[in-house]
């Protein structure tokens, strides 16, 4: 018995040596990449880097809002550490208050003195909402982050009158009852709403509607979204999910003229089975691979929904907004099922990079994307535990990729071998490029292969490159993660794996990594 720990240590050491040896002896694969700076395309809307905050689990309460009397340092109740970290991401737009919660939210509950606000059950996710975080707190958060406001209205249990009143309360500068109520509640000037959605998942938690019925409901509600005080509100219709193409077809045919945008939701589950989704942290290569196969489906869904939209809207006036996306795993054992708290590993960083590259490729139609969700819920940017906070691998990808916000998309032609496991194959590499207003090129690369580095022969067309700099995000294990005890196991490092020879570039990208480069 006494000798067992020694034995375990010995076996562990042997396994580690074997893994390390494998990593050293596996040959890199070769790839070629053309960066067509001579063929600039569309603007990458900065809103592709949008966030989503629902009243769910510990996102709002505990994650963002701790109240003014909390020992956790805060600004008017909003925690300083979380807001400070999120500011680094240049969050362009924030969607609130749901999600499914949006269709049970009554805005009057969340205004006025906090101690007088009603406590209501959160019917979608469990627990009781104190309503301490409401309209004023949301706009203060947007102000602190420098983000545009995207409000998701209540259709499922609301009314056009309730929606109209809320919009008047938020945006009117008239001498009217609701604008004056806002003033009495402490905010003199009207706020600006950039986006307003008519319900959420109205095919499901938002009312279980048929598309024909919702198309009429949308037209009715959209009529009463009125612009006031110079505000111009973009109206979003609640859109489809996954490959539910009929929804997009009917909505575009019957309500396309009345909307500015249509949404799309798609979550990445390692197994594709909602009753057994897979663990956030305990997985093998098979599940790494199946997760990436499933996340890559985003490309196909966007193409097919866009093709339907093209038939009704060839000018691409109507945006496709992927306003919920990300990984969704089984809850950790012992955690509240409804809270949707999950850890975030290097695999999530790869998922984030792949999806952001897909959105940029389709940015002529995709004008917004909101990862689900910002704090403590699903594929979040940060995790908190009382006064502690940790940045996730996904956070680092959003920070590295922020250089693409508002830049011009530069096409890339990539040729790389498949990353195969069993019968299933997927591209080993994903890439995206852009040119910013100052003329700098940025290239993001994701190596999906967990074992093999990529040796990429890259050619830049239409730009002379003299200097390169950048960062790489990787770690020794597929499920490497940051915890409150070890917050820096997955963090970006300077990238040195390049050789530059005229317009020829040789890049060596580590296995399972995300790289973002600046080429000048
Ligand atoms: O993001 C969690 C939930 O997923 C949202 O509330 C809902 O819209 C979707 O089904």
């Amino acid at each position: 018995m006494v000798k067992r720990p020694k034995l375990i240590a010995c076996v562990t050491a042997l396994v580690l040596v074997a893994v390390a040896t494998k990593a050293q002896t596996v040959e890199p694969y070769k790839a070629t990449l053309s960066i067509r700076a001579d063929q600039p395309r569309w603007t990458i809307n900065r809103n592709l880097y949008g966030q989503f905050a629902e009243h769910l689990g510990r996102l709002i309460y505990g994650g963002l809002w701790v109240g003014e009397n909390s020992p956790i340092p805060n600004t008017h109740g909003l925690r300083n550490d979380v807001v400070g970290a999120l500011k680094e991401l240049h969050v362009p737009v924030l969607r609130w208050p749901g999600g499914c919660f949006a269709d049970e939210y009554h805005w009057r509950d969340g205004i006025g003195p906090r101690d007088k606000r009603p406590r209501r059950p959160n019917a979608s996710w469990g627990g009781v909402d104190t309503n301490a975080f409401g309209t004023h707190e949301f706009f203060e958060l947007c102000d602190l982050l420098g983000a545009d406001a995207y409000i998701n209205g209540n259709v499922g249990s609301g009314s056009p009158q309730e929606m109209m009143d809320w919009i008047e309360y938020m945006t009117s500068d008239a001498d009217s009852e609701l604008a004056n109520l806002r003033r009495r509640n402490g905010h003199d000037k009207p706020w600006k709403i950039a986006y307003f959605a008519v319900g959420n998942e109205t095919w499901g938690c938002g009312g279980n509607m048929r598309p024909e019925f919702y198309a009429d409901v949308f037209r009715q509600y959209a009529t009463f979204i009125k612009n006031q005080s110079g505000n111009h509100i973009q109206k979003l219709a609640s859109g489809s999910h996954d490959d539910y193409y009929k929804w997009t077809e009917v909505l575009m045919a019957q309500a396309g003229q009345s909307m500015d945008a249509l949404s799309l939701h798609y979550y990445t589950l390692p197994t594709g089975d909602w009753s057994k989704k897979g663990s956030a942290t305990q997985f093998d290569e098979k599940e790494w691979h199946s997760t990436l196969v499933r996340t890559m489906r985003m490309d196909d869904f966007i193409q097919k929904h866009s093709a339907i939209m093209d038939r009704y809207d060839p000018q691409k006036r109507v945006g496709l907004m992927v306003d919920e996306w990300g990984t969704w795993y089984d809850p950790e054992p012992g955690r509240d099922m409804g809270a949707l708290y999950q850890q975030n590993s290097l695999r999530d960083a790869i998922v984030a990079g792949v999806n952001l590259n897909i959105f940029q490729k389709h940015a002529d139609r995709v004008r917004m994307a909101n990862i689900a969700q910002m704090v403590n819920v699903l594929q979040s940017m940060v995790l908190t535990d009382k006064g502690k906070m940790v940045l996730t691998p996904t956070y680092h990808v959003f920070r590295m990729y922020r250089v693409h916000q508002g830049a011009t998309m530069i096409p890339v032609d990539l040729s790389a071998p498949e990353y195969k496991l069993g019968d299933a194959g997927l591209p080993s590499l994903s890439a995206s490029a852009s040119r910013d207003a100052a003329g700098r090129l940025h290239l993001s690369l994701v190596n999906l292969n967990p074992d093999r580095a990529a040796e990429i022969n890259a050619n830049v067309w239409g730009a002379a490159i003299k200097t390169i700099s950048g960062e790489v995000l990787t770690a020794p294990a597929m499920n490497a993660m940051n915890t409150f005890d070890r917050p820096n196991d997955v963090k970006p490092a300077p990238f040195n794996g390049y050789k530059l020879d005229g317009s020829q570039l040789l890049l060596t990208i580590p296995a399972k990594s995300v790289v973002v480069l600046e080429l000048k």
Side-chain angles (χ1 to χ4, degrees):
M1 289 297 286
V2 182
K3 288 203 171 134
R4 266 191 93 180
K6 255 193 186 166
L7 180 68
I8 291 170
C10 247
V11 172
T12 312
L14 278 175
V15 170
L16 286 177
V17 168
V19 170
T21 313
K22 185 179 170 207
Q24 278 159 25
T25 54
V26 176
E27 279 285 296
Y29 63 86
K30 306 247 187 254
T32 58
L33 175 70
S34 289
I35 303 164
R36 301 306 310 242
D38 56 334
Q39 296 173 7
R41 306 289 279 277
W42 37 79
T43 299
I44 296 169
N45 197 312
R46 55 195 294 265
N47 291 337
L48 297 188
Y49 292 84
Q51 298 284 339
F52 172 31
E54 179 166 11
H55 288 233
L56 199 179
R58 290 188 299 111
L59 197 163
I60 301 287
Y61 301 109
L64 285 166
W65 176 263
V66 286
E68 282 157 327
N69 300 325
S70 171
I72 299 172
N74 67 82
T75 304
H76 303 145
L78 293 161
R79 50 189 296 174
N80 293 344
D81 52 354
V82 172
V83 170
L86 293 170
K87 274 169 104 159
E88 290 295 304
L89 302 184
H90 300 173
V91 175
V93 62
L94 180 58
R95 178 178 183 234
W96 174 81
C100 295
F101 181 82
D103 283 292
E104 62 178 81
Y105 184 65
H106 300 286
W107 67 274
R108 283 187 171 85
D109 291 346
I111 56 168
R114 278 189 210 104
D115 57 353
K116 302 249 165 17
R117 295 186 193 174
R119 298 168 67 89
R120 304 262 187 226
N122 183 327
S124 294
W125 305 108
V128 168
D129 197 309
T130 62
N131 278 303
F133 188 94
T135 302
H136 291 249
E137 292 76 16
F138 169 67
F139 278 102
E140 171 142 28
L141 175 62
C142 288
D143 275 355
L144 289 173
L145 295 177
D148 279 345
Y150 169 7
I151 303 264
N152 207 117
N154 178 348
V155 167
S157 68
S159 68
Q161 182 68 58
E162 185 184 8
M163 181 195 74
M164 257 181 102
D165 288 351
W166 195 11
I167 293 173
E168 180 189 334
Y169 181 88
M170 292 186 279
T171 62
S172 170
D173 62 359
D175 180 9
S176 70
E177 187 181 318
L178 290 172
N180 287 333
L181 178 60
R182 183 196 66 236
R183 292 185 185 103
R184 285 199 301 281
N185 284 336
H187 206 272
D188 186 33
K189 292 261 170 290
W191 291 293
K192 291 258 183 267
I193 307 174
Y195 302 92
F196 194 97
V198 176
N200 166 72
E201 297 195 349
T202 46
W203 39 262
C205 64
N208 283 305
M209 299 174 200
R210 292 172 303 110
E212 295 80 5
F213 179 79
Y214 174 66
D216 279 348
V217 169
F218 173 78
R219 290 164 60 132
Q220 179 198 10
Y221 274 69
T223 310
F224 301 102
I225 299 177
K226 307 276 189 199
N227 285 319
Q228 293 163 67
S229 345
N231 199 178
H232 179 72
I233 304 175
Q234 300 238 344
K235 303 172 190 176
L236 273 80
S238 156
S240 183
H241 64 93
D242 305 23
D243 58 357
Y244 185 8
Y245 299 116
K246 182 181 171 199
W247 186 274
T248 298
E249 182 82 46
V250 174
L251 262 289
M252 287 305 292
Q254 299 183 9
Q257 303 287 334
S258 321
M259 66 178 75
D260 295 303
L262 183 62
S263 63
L264 172 67
H265 292 179
Y266 175 54
Y267 285 99
T268 300
L269 279 59
T271 61
D273 175 357
W274 282 95
S275 65
K276 203 172 183 332
K277 298 179 264 299
S279 159
T281 54
Q282 304 304 309
F283 56 87
D284 56 12
E285 188 178 348
K286 196 163 154 247
E287 226 163 86
W288 164 279
H289 192 271
S290 66
T291 305
L292 299 182
V293 167
R294 286 179 185 286
T295 221
M296 280 280 184
R297 297 183 71 195
M298 180 68 91
D299 199 348
D300 193 48
F301 294 149
I302 290 177
Q303 276 184 49
K304 292 189 173 137
H305 285 287
S306 298
I308 295 168
M309 295 175 80
D310 284 349
R311 280 197 275 110
Y312 295 95
D313 173 35
Q315 308 301 323
K316 299 189 194 293
R317 185 189 63 80
V318 179
L320 180 63
M321 315 309 222
V322 188
D323 61 9
E324 286 186 33
W325 69 275
T327 52
W328 193 324
Y329 306 118
D330 289 327
E332 283 172 25
R335 291 235 183 224
D336 173 8
M337 292 277 289
L340 307 189
Y341 177 88
Q342 64 190 34
Q343 246 297 358
N344 195 294
S345 74
L346 182 61
R347 178 176 60 172
D348 293 83
I350 303 286
V351 165
V354 164
N355 279 280
L356 294 170
N357 287 349
I358 292 172
F359 300 147
Q360 295 193 164
K361 177 170 136 197
H362 297 294
D364 55 334
R365 178 66 82 178
V366 181
R367 316 264 166 75
M368 189 195 294
N370 308 72
I371 190 165
Q373 297 194 11
M374 192 158 72
V375 184
N376 288 335
V377 168
L378 300 177
Q379 191 174 351
S380 58
M381 303 297 116
V382 302
L383 300 172
T384 66
D385 179 14
K386 299 191 184 77
K388 294 190 236 164
M389 180 194 74
V390 69
L391 308 178
T392 66
T394 301
Y395 173 95
H396 292 304
V397 174
F398 269 69
R399 216 254 317 128
M400 289 160 71
Y401 269 61
R402 67 186 180 180
V403 290
H404 293 299
Q405 290 188 16
T408 303
M409 191 275 224
I410 299 292
V412 291
D413 297 326
L414 188 60
S415 168
E418 266 198 328
Y419 162 38
K420 284 199 88 164
L421 202 71
D423 290 339
L426 78 161
S428 300
L429 269 177
S430 155
S432 185
S434 70
R435 196 205 301 264
D436 68 11
R440 294 170 296 213
L441 282 176
H442 292 104
L443 172 66
S444 31
L445 293 157
V446 185
N447 186 356
L448 287 73
N449 193 307
D451 294 324
R452 300 179 70 185
E455 265 180 22
I456 308 170
N457 235 307
N459 222 320
V460 185
W461 299 73
I465 307 301
K466 295 194 187 72
T467 62
I468 301 181
S469 57
E471 286 180 301
V472 56
L473 185 74
T474 188
M478 289 184 291
N479 65 347
M481 68 192 99
N482 295 331
T483 63
F484 297 105
D485 297 331
R486 299 178 61 96
N488 291 315
D489 278 9
V490 189
K491 64 166 197 210
F495 177 76
N496 302 312
Y498 61 85
K499 283 190 196 130
L500 181 62
D501 182 9
S503 62
Q504 280 285 122
L505 195 57
L506 184 67
L507 303 168
T508 306
I509 307 292
K512 48 177 163 7
S513 69
V514 179
V515 170
V516 178
L517 300 176
E518 181 167 296
L519 315 175
K520 285 192 289 191

